[in-house]
Amino acid sequence: MIPFPRRDLPLLIAGAGLIASSRGASAAEDCAGTVFTADEGAASISAVDLRTGQASSTPLQVTPHNVQAVAAGRRLFAVGTAAGAHGADHARANGRLVVLEPVSGVAPRVVAEIAAGRHPGHVVADSVGERAFITDSEADALLIVDVTQRRVAASVPVGDYPHGLRLSPDGREAWLANVRDGTVSVVDIAVGREAARIPVGPSPVQVGFAPDGGRVYVSLRGANAVAEIDARTRRVLRRIPVGPGPVQLFATPDGKLLYVANEGTRAAPGTTASVIDLAAGGVVATIETGRGAHGVVVCETGSRAFVTNLYDDTLTEIDVATQTVRRRLRVGRTPNGVTWAPV
């Protein structure tokens, strides 16, 4: 978690007809695989088998804030600082990139650890898992890690306090949300240089892409909104109001919907995910997930969305077709980032 300014606005409740499905004992047949959560409070990674709903955990030497599966689920990355380092201690802590190997049905195993700056926030990687891209919030930089050589190959200066990032669908650019200066940095991966810095609004936290790469979406925690950016012109097209304190966001594979986790604040946790119709540019459903909704991912088939809930230590599974909650699954303490893999 990162310290954001408090903005307590009324919680929006949509008439989505939510139910806690009695089908929750069995996983969705069309969304198999594993969901991994970064359990910052437990210093572990949880692996949830979607067939059974059972979770197993792998202890780490860091408190992971983000986790990312790549290479068709054959490789898993997590980033964090040394277990026990909080607040100002981040500046003195050794950040680490942890490389794990997922194993079907059980907890992943650690295969490597690589030094990764002072305060790594988020990690993504190329399609084969040979290069990882990490935001270092203390250094205001994007770290490019050579995973094979286990070293930071480059450090690219970006905006103030970079946090969430994603690679463009073509893999050519990294887009990073700079929390403290209200911008998004666009980094050209081939040359290792910031190509643009786009003003987007107060406290941007995470970036998400439409599947075709034409639009980019940025959660604005300080505005309770999502900014939509034209990826070609790099201009903000509109802001879409969502719930309180939006953090992570993720589009469905067909490009029709965007799921946004509304974390709120520690004092007044948000409990919902907003569902945006991207063609219409507005929220079409608001789904109760749990206290401190933070991370969100959609599986490859697009049939299920998954949201981590910081203060309930749970993962909520959502049926995309009906916008109803299928089940809530127990994971490790303070689950933050989340990712899905077909393993």
Side-chain angles (χ1 to χ4, degrees):
M1 294 172 288
I2 51 181
F4 298 107
R6 174 172 175 167
R7 290 179 63 92
D8 296 331
L9 298 184
L11 183 67
L12 302 177
I13 303 296
L18 299 182
I19 59 171
S21 173
S22 61
R23 297 173 295 170
S26 61
E29 292 77 12
D30 58 348
C31 187
T34 307
V35 173
F36 300 93
T37 64
D39 308 324
E40 197 164 27
S44 67
I45 298 292
S46 287
V48 179
D49 186 335
L50 294 179
R51 295 169 301 173
T52 65
Q54 296 300 308
S56 54
S57 66
T58 300
L60 303 180
Q61 296 301 310
V62 300
T63 53
H65 186 72
N66 181 233
V67 61
Q68 183 68 44
V70 298
R74 294 188 301 273
R75 182 163 282 181
L76 192 69
F77 296 107
V79 289
T81 52
H86 297 285
D89 290 340
H90 278 307
R92 296 187 295 273
N94 292 321
R96 308 292 289 177
L97 168 65
V98 182
V99 184
L100 304 100
E101 181 181 272
V103 181
S104 181
V106 298
R109 58 191 178 196
V110 175
V111 296
E113 288 192 11
I114 303 169
R118 294 183 296 182
H119 185 185
H122 274 234
V123 60
V124 294
D126 62 22
S127 60
V128 294
E130 293 180 351
R131 290 191 300 170
F133 304 89
I134 299 169
T135 51
D136 187 337
S137 300
E138 292 291 341
D140 295 340
L142 172 68
L143 306 180
I144 302 176
V145 177
D146 185 317
V147 177
T148 302
Q149 296 186 15
R150 300 189 181 183
R151 67 181 183 90
V152 174
S155 178
V156 181
V158 291
D160 190 357
Y161 207 91
H163 193 65
L165 81 158
R166 296 290 179 194
L167 295 184
S168 59
D170 62 12
R172 295 179 179 178
E173 295 176 335
W175 289 55
L176 305 76
N178 302 310
V179 177
R180 290 179 180 160
D181 67 10
T183 67
V184 167
S185 290
V186 182
V187 174
D188 185 317
I189 296 301
V191 299
R193 183 176 65 239
E194 185 182 50
R197 192 176 299 178
I198 307 166
V200 292
S203 301
V205 183
Q206 178 60 294
V207 175
F209 279 87
D212 65 4
R215 295 288 185 269
V216 185
Y217 299 92
V218 184
S219 57
L220 302 177
R221 189 175 179 117
N224 297 335
V226 169
E228 181 182 58
I229 302 171
D230 184 303
R232 183 181 61 83
T233 65
R234 294 170 180 169
R235 293 181 179 275
V236 174
L237 302 175
R238 57 187 171 182
R239 290 184 183 176
I240 304 167
V242 292
V247 182
Q248 290 199 17
L249 66 179
F250 206 99
T252 53
D254 60 10
K256 293 181 178 180
L257 301 174
L258 184 76
Y259 282 79
V260 185
N262 303 310
E263 183 182 315
T265 66
R266 183 180 291 273
T271 61
T272 65
S274 296
V275 186
I276 297 174
D277 181 314
L278 293 180
V283 172
V284 293
T286 301
I287 302 169
E288 288 284 339
T289 62
R291 294 183 305 137
H294 181 94
V296 60
V297 71
V298 178
C299 72
E300 189 175 49
T301 65
S303 62
R304 301 289 180 264
F306 302 89
V307 177
T308 57
N309 306 301
L310 293 175
Y311 307 121
D312 288 342
D313 303 335
T314 59
L315 175 74
T316 298
E317 180 182 9
I318 298 168
D319 186 313
V320 171
T322 62
Q323 305 302 355
T324 58
V325 172
R326 287 181 58 90
R327 53 184 173 175
R328 291 181 177 89
L329 303 165
R330 182 69 59 181
V331 291
R333 293 194 310 276
T334 325
N336 282 260
V338 62
T339 190
W340 172 87
V343 295

